[in-house]
Short mmCIF file of all heavy atoms in Angstrom, two decimals:
data_model
loop_
_atom_site.label_atom_id
_atom_site.label_comp_id
_atom_site.label_asym_id
_atom_site.label_seq_id
_atom_site.Cartn_x
_atom_site.Cartn_y
_atom_site.Cartn_z
N ARG A 9 -31.69 -177.31 127.16
CA ARG A 9 -31.32 -178.43 126.28
C ARG A 9 -29.81 -178.32 125.83
O ARG A 9 -29.20 -179.34 125.67
CB ARG A 9 -32.14 -178.41 125.03
CG ARG A 9 -33.65 -178.78 125.30
CD ARG A 9 -33.79 -180.15 125.91
NE ARG A 9 -33.36 -181.24 124.96
CZ ARG A 9 -34.12 -181.79 124.03
NH1 ARG A 9 -35.34 -181.40 123.91
NH2 ARG A 9 -33.63 -182.74 123.22
N ASN A 31 -36.60 -189.49 145.44
CA ASN A 31 -35.17 -189.70 144.94
C ASN A 31 -34.93 -188.86 143.66
O ASN A 31 -35.76 -188.83 142.69
CB ASN A 31 -34.95 -191.14 144.57
CG ASN A 31 -35.16 -192.05 145.71
OD1 ASN A 31 -35.11 -191.71 146.87
ND2 ASN A 31 -35.30 -193.35 145.38
N PHE A 33 -31.51 -187.85 140.83
CA PHE A 33 -30.22 -188.33 140.39
C PHE A 33 -29.64 -187.48 139.32
O PHE A 33 -30.43 -186.98 138.46
CB PHE A 33 -30.35 -189.72 139.74
CG PHE A 33 -30.86 -190.81 140.71
CD1 PHE A 33 -32.23 -190.90 140.91
CD2 PHE A 33 -30.01 -191.69 141.41
CE1 PHE A 33 -32.81 -191.91 141.74
CE2 PHE A 33 -30.63 -192.70 142.24
CZ PHE A 33 -31.98 -192.78 142.42
N TYR A 35 -26.80 -187.83 136.22
CA TYR A 35 -25.89 -188.71 135.50
C TYR A 35 -25.23 -187.89 134.39
O TYR A 35 -25.77 -186.94 133.93
CB TYR A 35 -26.68 -189.81 134.79
CG TYR A 35 -27.22 -190.93 135.66
CD1 TYR A 35 -28.57 -190.73 136.15
CD2 TYR A 35 -26.49 -192.09 135.97
CE1 TYR A 35 -29.13 -191.74 137.00
CE2 TYR A 35 -27.09 -193.05 136.82
CZ TYR A 35 -28.36 -192.86 137.28
OH TYR A 35 -28.96 -193.80 138.06
N GLN A 37 -23.64 -188.76 130.45
CA GLN A 37 -23.58 -189.71 129.46
C GLN A 37 -22.56 -189.43 128.45
O GLN A 37 -22.56 -188.32 127.81
CB GLN A 37 -24.93 -189.84 128.74
CG GLN A 37 -25.08 -190.89 127.68
CD GLN A 37 -26.45 -190.94 127.05
OE1 GLN A 37 -27.27 -190.07 127.20
NE2 GLN A 37 -26.62 -192.04 126.21
N GLY A 40 -19.70 -194.63 124.57
CA GLY A 40 -18.84 -195.75 124.99
C GLY A 40 -18.77 -195.97 126.50
O GLY A 40 -18.28 -197.05 126.95
N LEU A 41 -19.21 -195.05 127.27
CA LEU A 41 -19.17 -195.13 128.75
C LEU A 41 -20.54 -195.31 129.36
O LEU A 41 -20.67 -195.49 130.54
CB LEU A 41 -18.45 -193.93 129.31
CG LEU A 41 -17.04 -193.72 128.88
CD1 LEU A 41 -16.46 -192.43 129.53
CD2 LEU A 41 -16.08 -194.88 129.32
N GLY A 42 -21.55 -195.17 128.60
CA GLY A 42 -22.92 -195.25 129.12
C GLY A 42 -23.23 -194.17 130.06
O GLY A 42 -22.76 -192.98 129.93
N LEU A 43 -24.03 -194.39 131.12
CA LEU A 43 -24.45 -193.44 132.13
C LEU A 43 -23.59 -193.61 133.41
O LEU A 43 -23.42 -194.80 133.87
CB LEU A 43 -25.88 -193.66 132.45
CG LEU A 43 -26.94 -192.96 131.63
CD1 LEU A 43 -26.98 -193.59 130.24
CD2 LEU A 43 -28.34 -193.04 132.25
N LEU A 45 -23.16 -192.16 137.34
CA LEU A 45 -23.81 -191.44 138.36
C LEU A 45 -22.85 -190.42 138.97
O LEU A 45 -21.74 -190.75 139.45
CB LEU A 45 -24.33 -192.43 139.41
CG LEU A 45 -25.16 -191.83 140.56
CD1 LEU A 45 -26.38 -191.13 140.01
CD2 LEU A 45 -25.47 -192.94 141.55
N PHE A 48 -26.65 -188.20 143.92
CA PHE A 48 -28.02 -188.50 144.03
C PHE A 48 -28.48 -187.95 145.43
O PHE A 48 -27.72 -187.60 146.33
CB PHE A 48 -28.39 -189.92 143.86
CG PHE A 48 -27.61 -190.88 144.78
CD1 PHE A 48 -28.24 -191.43 146.00
CD2 PHE A 48 -26.32 -191.28 144.59
CE1 PHE A 48 -27.60 -192.24 146.80
CE2 PHE A 48 -25.61 -192.20 145.34
CZ PHE A 48 -26.26 -192.70 146.49
N TYR A 50 -31.82 -188.53 148.39
CA TYR A 50 -32.95 -189.26 148.76
C TYR A 50 -34.06 -188.41 149.42
O TYR A 50 -35.10 -188.85 149.77
CB TYR A 50 -32.68 -190.36 149.82
CG TYR A 50 -31.72 -191.49 149.26
CD1 TYR A 50 -30.79 -192.10 150.10
CD2 TYR A 50 -31.84 -191.84 147.85
CE1 TYR A 50 -30.01 -193.10 149.57
CE2 TYR A 50 -31.10 -192.90 147.38
CZ TYR A 50 -30.15 -193.49 148.22
OH TYR A 50 -29.35 -194.44 147.68
N MET A 88 -23.26 -184.94 127.97
CA MET A 88 -24.69 -184.86 128.04
C MET A 88 -25.02 -185.15 129.53
O MET A 88 -24.52 -186.19 130.11
CB MET A 88 -25.39 -185.90 127.18
CG MET A 88 -26.88 -186.10 127.47
SD MET A 88 -27.91 -184.67 126.90
CE MET A 88 -28.36 -185.34 125.28
N LEU A 90 -27.90 -185.92 132.37
CA LEU A 90 -29.31 -186.41 132.53
C LEU A 90 -29.73 -186.39 133.97
O LEU A 90 -28.97 -186.91 134.86
CB LEU A 90 -29.36 -187.84 132.02
CG LEU A 90 -29.18 -187.95 130.46
CD1 LEU A 90 -29.03 -189.50 130.15
CD2 LEU A 90 -30.32 -187.37 129.76
N SER A 94 -37.31 -190.74 141.09
CA SER A 94 -38.19 -191.91 141.31
C SER A 94 -38.71 -191.82 142.74
O SER A 94 -38.22 -191.00 143.63
CB SER A 94 -37.32 -193.19 141.19
OG SER A 94 -36.50 -193.49 142.26
N PHE A 95 -39.76 -192.63 143.05
CA PHE A 95 -40.25 -192.74 144.39
C PHE A 95 -39.18 -193.52 145.18
O PHE A 95 -38.41 -194.30 144.59
CB PHE A 95 -41.54 -193.49 144.45
CG PHE A 95 -42.69 -192.68 144.00
CD1 PHE A 95 -43.37 -192.93 142.79
CD2 PHE A 95 -43.09 -191.53 144.67
CE1 PHE A 95 -44.52 -192.23 142.36
CE2 PHE A 95 -44.18 -190.76 144.24
CZ PHE A 95 -44.87 -191.08 143.07
N GLN A 96 -39.18 -193.39 146.50
CA GLN A 96 -38.47 -194.34 147.36
C GLN A 96 -38.93 -195.65 147.03
O GLN A 96 -40.17 -195.95 146.84
CB GLN A 96 -38.78 -193.94 148.82
CG GLN A 96 -38.05 -192.75 149.38
CD GLN A 96 -36.54 -192.91 149.70
OE1 GLN A 96 -36.04 -193.98 149.41
NE2 GLN A 96 -35.88 -191.91 150.05
N THR A 97 -38.07 -196.51 147.02
CA THR A 97 -38.49 -197.81 146.47
C THR A 97 -38.17 -198.98 147.56
O THR A 97 -37.31 -198.86 148.27
CB THR A 97 -37.68 -198.10 145.16
OG1 THR A 97 -38.16 -199.26 144.57
CG2 THR A 97 -36.17 -198.28 145.44
N GLY A 98 -39.00 -199.88 147.44
CA GLY A 98 -38.82 -201.17 148.31
C GLY A 98 -38.69 -202.29 147.40
O GLY A 98 -37.77 -202.29 146.54
N PRO A 100 -41.09 -204.41 144.61
CA PRO A 100 -40.08 -204.33 143.64
C PRO A 100 -39.52 -202.97 143.40
O PRO A 100 -40.21 -201.96 143.92
CB PRO A 100 -40.82 -204.69 142.35
CG PRO A 100 -42.24 -204.30 142.69
CD PRO A 100 -42.51 -204.54 144.08
N ILE A 101 -38.40 -202.85 142.72
CA ILE A 101 -37.82 -201.49 142.50
C ILE A 101 -38.66 -200.75 141.49
O ILE A 101 -39.10 -201.33 140.43
CB ILE A 101 -36.41 -201.72 141.92
CG1 ILE A 101 -35.63 -202.60 142.87
CG2 ILE A 101 -35.72 -200.34 141.77
CD1 ILE A 101 -35.46 -202.14 144.24
N VAL A 102 -38.95 -199.47 141.68
CA VAL A 102 -39.68 -198.76 140.71
C VAL A 102 -38.70 -198.01 139.81
O VAL A 102 -37.56 -197.81 140.16
CB VAL A 102 -40.52 -197.65 141.46
CG1 VAL A 102 -41.63 -198.27 142.26
CG2 VAL A 102 -39.66 -196.72 142.26
N PRO A 103 -39.11 -197.80 138.52
CA PRO A 103 -38.15 -197.32 137.55
C PRO A 103 -37.86 -195.85 137.77
O PRO A 103 -38.56 -195.11 138.36
CB PRO A 103 -38.92 -197.56 136.22
CG PRO A 103 -40.33 -197.57 136.55
CD PRO A 103 -40.42 -198.12 138.02
N LEU A 104 -36.73 -195.42 137.13
CA LEU A 104 -36.38 -194.03 137.05
C LEU A 104 -37.09 -193.36 135.94
O LEU A 104 -37.41 -194.05 134.96
CB LEU A 104 -34.84 -193.92 136.74
CG LEU A 104 -33.93 -194.24 137.89
CD1 LEU A 104 -32.47 -194.21 137.34
CD2 LEU A 104 -34.10 -193.28 138.96
N HIS A 105 -37.39 -192.06 136.13
CA HIS A 105 -37.94 -191.28 135.07
C HIS A 105 -36.93 -190.17 134.70
O HIS A 105 -36.46 -189.47 135.60
CB HIS A 105 -39.26 -190.63 135.56
CG HIS A 105 -40.29 -191.63 135.83
ND1 HIS A 105 -41.25 -192.03 134.90
CD2 HIS A 105 -40.59 -192.30 136.94
CE1 HIS A 105 -41.98 -192.94 135.45
NE2 HIS A 105 -41.65 -193.10 136.76
N PHE A 106 -36.64 -190.00 133.43
CA PHE A 106 -35.58 -189.15 133.08
C PHE A 106 -36.10 -187.86 132.39
O PHE A 106 -37.15 -187.82 131.71
CB PHE A 106 -34.66 -189.86 132.02
CG PHE A 106 -33.75 -190.84 132.54
CD1 PHE A 106 -34.08 -192.17 132.72
CD2 PHE A 106 -32.40 -190.42 132.89
CE1 PHE A 106 -33.25 -193.14 133.35
CE2 PHE A 106 -31.53 -191.37 133.46
CZ PHE A 106 -31.96 -192.67 133.65
N GLY A 107 -35.31 -186.81 132.52
CA GLY A 107 -35.51 -185.58 131.72
C GLY A 107 -34.88 -185.75 130.34
O GLY A 107 -34.26 -186.79 130.07
N ASN A 108 -35.03 -184.77 129.53
CA ASN A 108 -34.52 -184.82 128.14
C ASN A 108 -33.04 -184.50 127.97
O ASN A 108 -32.56 -184.67 126.87
CB ASN A 108 -35.37 -183.83 127.22
CG ASN A 108 -36.61 -184.45 126.84
OD1 ASN A 108 -36.77 -185.64 126.71
ND2 ASN A 108 -37.51 -183.61 126.45
N GLY A 109 -32.42 -184.18 129.02
CA GLY A 109 -31.00 -184.00 128.98
C GLY A 109 -30.55 -182.52 128.73
O GLY A 109 -31.31 -181.84 128.03
N TYR B 30 -32.05 -209.21 145.02
CA TYR B 30 -33.11 -209.53 144.10
C TYR B 30 -33.43 -208.26 143.29
O TYR B 30 -34.40 -207.54 143.58
CB TYR B 30 -34.37 -210.07 144.80
CG TYR B 30 -34.02 -211.31 145.58
CD1 TYR B 30 -33.81 -211.23 146.98
CD2 TYR B 30 -33.98 -212.56 144.96
CE1 TYR B 30 -33.50 -212.37 147.75
CE2 TYR B 30 -33.66 -213.70 145.69
CZ TYR B 30 -33.37 -213.61 147.06
OH TYR B 30 -33.05 -214.71 147.77
N PRO B 31 -32.75 -208.04 142.19
CA PRO B 31 -32.90 -206.75 141.54
C PRO B 31 -34.19 -206.77 140.57
O PRO B 31 -34.68 -207.81 140.30
CB PRO B 31 -31.70 -206.70 140.60
CG PRO B 31 -31.29 -208.10 140.33
CD PRO B 31 -31.68 -208.91 141.64
N SER B 32 -34.60 -205.63 140.25
CA SER B 32 -35.49 -205.47 139.11
C SER B 32 -34.74 -205.11 137.79
O SER B 32 -33.61 -204.48 137.99
CB SER B 32 -36.53 -204.39 139.37
OG SER B 32 -37.37 -204.68 140.46
N PHE B 34 -34.66 -203.53 133.76
CA PHE B 34 -35.30 -202.58 132.92
C PHE B 34 -34.55 -202.54 131.54
O PHE B 34 -33.37 -202.74 131.35
CB PHE B 34 -35.29 -201.18 133.50
CG PHE B 34 -35.74 -201.10 134.92
CD1 PHE B 34 -34.89 -201.25 135.95
CD2 PHE B 34 -37.09 -200.91 135.18
CE1 PHE B 34 -35.28 -201.24 137.34
CE2 PHE B 34 -37.53 -200.84 136.47
CZ PHE B 34 -36.57 -201.03 137.57
N TYR B 36 -34.36 -199.41 128.76
CA TYR B 36 -34.73 -197.99 128.33
C TYR B 36 -34.35 -197.78 126.96
O TYR B 36 -33.41 -198.39 126.43
CB TYR B 36 -33.87 -197.05 129.26
CG TYR B 36 -34.48 -196.91 130.71
CD1 TYR B 36 -34.09 -197.80 131.74
CD2 TYR B 36 -35.29 -195.84 130.98
CE1 TYR B 36 -34.53 -197.63 132.98
CE2 TYR B 36 -35.78 -195.71 132.31
CZ TYR B 36 -35.40 -196.58 133.29
OH TYR B 36 -35.92 -196.44 134.58
N GLN B 38 -33.46 -194.54 124.07
CA GLN B 38 -33.15 -193.12 123.94
C GLN B 38 -33.18 -192.79 122.46
O GLN B 38 -32.42 -193.28 121.73
CB GLN B 38 -31.72 -192.83 124.56
CG GLN B 38 -31.42 -191.43 124.48
CD GLN B 38 -30.08 -191.18 125.10
OE1 GLN B 38 -29.08 -191.95 124.97
NE2 GLN B 38 -29.91 -190.02 125.79
N PRO B 40 -32.86 -189.98 119.35
CA PRO B 40 -31.93 -188.85 119.18
C PRO B 40 -32.26 -187.57 119.85
O PRO B 40 -33.46 -187.15 119.67
CB PRO B 40 -31.82 -188.81 117.66
CG PRO B 40 -32.13 -190.13 117.16
CD PRO B 40 -33.19 -190.65 118.13
N GLY B 41 -31.40 -186.95 120.51
CA GLY B 41 -31.66 -185.65 121.19
C GLY B 41 -32.61 -185.75 122.32
O GLY B 41 -32.95 -184.64 122.89
N GLU B 42 -32.91 -186.91 122.92
CA GLU B 42 -33.87 -187.00 124.03
C GLU B 42 -33.23 -187.73 125.21
O GLU B 42 -32.15 -188.36 125.08
CB GLU B 42 -35.08 -187.72 123.55
CG GLU B 42 -35.85 -186.97 122.48
CD GLU B 42 -37.15 -187.67 122.14
OE1 GLU B 42 -37.57 -188.58 122.90
OE2 GLU B 42 -37.72 -187.29 121.12
N GLY B 43 -33.92 -187.75 126.32
CA GLY B 43 -33.48 -188.45 127.43
C GLY B 43 -33.95 -189.95 127.28
O GLY B 43 -34.46 -190.38 126.24
N LEU B 44 -33.73 -190.70 128.36
CA LEU B 44 -34.09 -192.14 128.35
C LEU B 44 -35.56 -192.36 128.65
O LEU B 44 -36.06 -191.64 129.59
CB LEU B 44 -33.21 -192.92 129.34
CG LEU B 44 -31.89 -193.37 128.86
CD1 LEU B 44 -30.93 -192.22 128.67
CD2 LEU B 44 -31.28 -194.38 129.84
N GLN B 45 -36.20 -193.22 128.04
CA GLN B 45 -37.60 -193.58 128.37
C GLN B 45 -37.69 -194.98 128.75
O GLN B 45 -37.05 -195.84 128.04
CB GLN B 45 -38.53 -193.36 127.12
CG GLN B 45 -38.54 -191.97 126.50
CD GLN B 45 -39.38 -191.94 125.23
OE1 GLN B 45 -40.26 -192.76 125.02
NE2 GLN B 45 -39.02 -190.96 124.34
N LEU B 46 -38.47 -195.29 129.74
CA LEU B 46 -38.70 -196.74 130.11
C LEU B 46 -39.35 -197.44 128.98
O LEU B 46 -40.41 -197.02 128.50
CB LEU B 46 -39.47 -196.79 131.34
CG LEU B 46 -39.76 -198.18 131.90
CD1 LEU B 46 -38.52 -198.85 132.31
CD2 LEU B 46 -40.75 -198.22 133.08
N LYS B 49 -40.11 -203.52 131.82
CA LYS B 49 -39.44 -203.94 133.06
C LYS B 49 -39.85 -205.29 133.49
O LYS B 49 -40.92 -205.77 133.09
CB LYS B 49 -39.79 -202.92 134.20
CG LYS B 49 -41.22 -202.90 134.55
CD LYS B 49 -41.58 -201.89 135.70
CE LYS B 49 -43.08 -201.96 135.99
NZ LYS B 49 -43.39 -201.02 137.09
N THR B 51 -39.70 -207.55 137.35
CA THR B 51 -39.37 -207.38 138.70
C THR B 51 -38.94 -208.65 139.44
O THR B 51 -38.46 -208.60 140.56
CB THR B 51 -40.53 -206.71 139.54
OG1 THR B 51 -41.69 -207.52 139.38
CG2 THR B 51 -40.80 -205.33 139.06
N LYS B 52 -39.16 -209.83 138.79
CA LYS B 52 -38.74 -211.11 139.49
C LYS B 52 -38.44 -212.13 138.40
O LYS B 52 -38.85 -211.97 137.32
CB LYS B 52 -39.79 -211.55 140.49
CG LYS B 52 -41.14 -211.90 139.97
CD LYS B 52 -42.17 -212.27 141.07
CE LYS B 52 -43.43 -212.80 140.50
NZ LYS B 52 -44.14 -211.88 139.77
N VAL B 87 -31.01 -195.77 120.69
CA VAL B 87 -30.02 -196.44 121.52
C VAL B 87 -30.81 -197.16 122.65
O VAL B 87 -31.62 -196.51 123.27
CB VAL B 87 -29.01 -195.43 122.10
CG1 VAL B 87 -28.01 -196.20 122.97
CG2 VAL B 87 -28.27 -194.77 121.01
N PHE B 89 -30.74 -199.24 126.38
CA PHE B 89 -29.93 -199.44 127.51
C PHE B 89 -30.65 -200.53 128.43
O PHE B 89 -31.85 -200.36 128.71
CB PHE B 89 -29.82 -198.19 128.36
CG PHE B 89 -29.04 -197.09 127.75
CD1 PHE B 89 -29.59 -196.20 126.92
CD2 PHE B 89 -27.67 -196.99 128.09
CE1 PHE B 89 -28.81 -195.16 126.32
CE2 PHE B 89 -26.89 -196.04 127.48
CZ PHE B 89 -27.42 -195.05 126.63
N LEU B 92 -30.27 -202.35 135.74
CA LEU B 92 -30.61 -203.09 136.94
C LEU B 92 -30.90 -202.18 138.05
O LEU B 92 -30.16 -201.23 138.24
CB LEU B 92 -29.42 -203.98 137.23
CG LEU B 92 -29.26 -204.84 138.46
CD1 LEU B 92 -28.16 -205.96 138.16
CD2 LEU B 92 -28.87 -204.13 139.66
N GLY B 93 -31.96 -202.43 138.82
CA GLY B 93 -32.30 -201.56 139.99
C GLY B 93 -32.22 -202.49 141.27
O GLY B 93 -32.88 -203.51 141.27
N THR B 94 -31.50 -201.96 142.27
CA THR B 94 -31.44 -202.65 143.56
C THR B 94 -31.32 -201.65 144.64
O THR B 94 -30.51 -200.76 144.52
CB THR B 94 -30.44 -203.77 143.55
OG1 THR B 94 -30.40 -204.45 144.77
CG2 THR B 94 -29.06 -203.24 143.25
N GLY B 95 -32.06 -201.81 145.73
CA GLY B 95 -32.10 -200.80 146.77
C GLY B 95 -32.55 -199.50 146.12
O GLY B 95 -33.55 -199.45 145.48
N ASN B 96 -31.87 -198.40 146.30
CA ASN B 96 -32.19 -197.17 145.66
C ASN B 96 -31.14 -196.85 144.51
O ASN B 96 -31.07 -195.70 144.08
CB ASN B 96 -32.26 -196.03 146.62
CG ASN B 96 -33.72 -195.95 147.28
OD1 ASN B 96 -34.67 -195.90 146.58
ND2 ASN B 96 -33.63 -195.96 148.59
N GLN B 97 -30.45 -197.82 144.07
CA GLN B 97 -29.41 -197.57 143.01
C GLN B 97 -29.82 -198.29 141.74
O GLN B 97 -30.48 -199.38 141.70
CB GLN B 97 -28.14 -198.19 143.54
CG GLN B 97 -27.47 -197.32 144.73
CD GLN B 97 -27.28 -195.88 144.19
OE1 GLN B 97 -26.68 -195.71 143.21
NE2 GLN B 97 -27.76 -194.92 145.03
N PHE B 98 -29.25 -197.73 140.70
CA PHE B 98 -29.46 -198.27 139.30
C PHE B 98 -28.12 -198.41 138.64
O PHE B 98 -27.28 -197.51 138.83
CB PHE B 98 -30.40 -197.32 138.49
CG PHE B 98 -31.79 -197.31 139.01
CD1 PHE B 98 -32.06 -196.45 140.09
CD2 PHE B 98 -32.77 -198.07 138.55
CE1 PHE B 98 -33.34 -196.43 140.69
CE2 PHE B 98 -34.05 -198.07 138.99
CZ PHE B 98 -34.39 -197.18 140.02
N TYR B 99 -28.00 -199.43 137.87
CA TYR B 99 -26.79 -199.62 137.12
C TYR B 99 -27.09 -199.92 135.67
O TYR B 99 -28.05 -200.72 135.31
CB TYR B 99 -26.08 -200.95 137.74
CG TYR B 99 -25.79 -200.80 139.17
CD1 TYR B 99 -26.67 -201.13 140.14
CD2 TYR B 99 -24.58 -200.29 139.62
CE1 TYR B 99 -26.51 -200.91 141.46
CE2 TYR B 99 -24.32 -200.11 140.96
CZ TYR B 99 -25.27 -200.45 141.90
OH TYR B 99 -25.03 -200.22 143.21
N PHE B 100 -26.47 -199.21 134.79
CA PHE B 100 -26.80 -199.23 133.37
C PHE B 100 -25.69 -199.92 132.49
O PHE B 100 -24.52 -199.72 132.87
CB PHE B 100 -26.99 -197.80 132.90
CG PHE B 100 -28.21 -197.13 133.31
CD1 PHE B 100 -28.15 -196.48 134.59
CD2 PHE B 100 -29.37 -197.09 132.59
CE1 PHE B 100 -29.39 -195.92 135.11
CE2 PHE B 100 -30.49 -196.52 133.10
CZ PHE B 100 -30.48 -195.90 134.34
N GLY B 101 -26.07 -200.55 131.48
CA GLY B 101 -25.12 -200.97 130.42
C GLY B 101 -24.70 -199.79 129.62
O GLY B 101 -25.20 -198.63 129.80
N THR B 102 -23.74 -200.01 128.72
CA THR B 102 -23.20 -198.92 127.96
C THR B 102 -24.10 -198.50 126.80
O THR B 102 -23.79 -197.55 126.11
CB THR B 102 -21.77 -199.24 127.50
OG1 THR B 102 -21.90 -200.49 126.77
CG2 THR B 102 -20.83 -199.38 128.65
N GLY B 103 -25.11 -199.26 126.50
CA GLY B 103 -26.06 -198.91 125.44
C GLY B 103 -25.69 -199.58 124.13
O GLY B 103 -24.53 -199.85 123.84
#
Side-chain angles (χ1 to χ4, degrees):
Chain A
R9 292 297 299 272
N31 299 343
F33 303 79
Y35 292 88
Q37 182 182 9
L41 298 177
L43 275 69
L45 182 63
F48 58 99
Y50 295 148
M88 169 74 94
L90 294 168
S94 74
F95 287 113
Q96 286 282 1
T97 189
I101 308 299
V102 295
L104 286 174
H105 297 268
F106 283 86
N108 277 337
Chain B
Y30 302 95
S32 292
F34 308 91
Y36 283 85
Q38 184 179 35
E42 297 184 11
L44 276 69
Q45 302 174 25
L46 179 67
K49 65 178 181 180
T51 58
K52 61 183 188 298
V87 181
F89 290 89
L92 175 160
T94 180
N96 274 307
Q97 288 301 310
F98 294 82
Y99 302 85
F100 289 85
T102 53

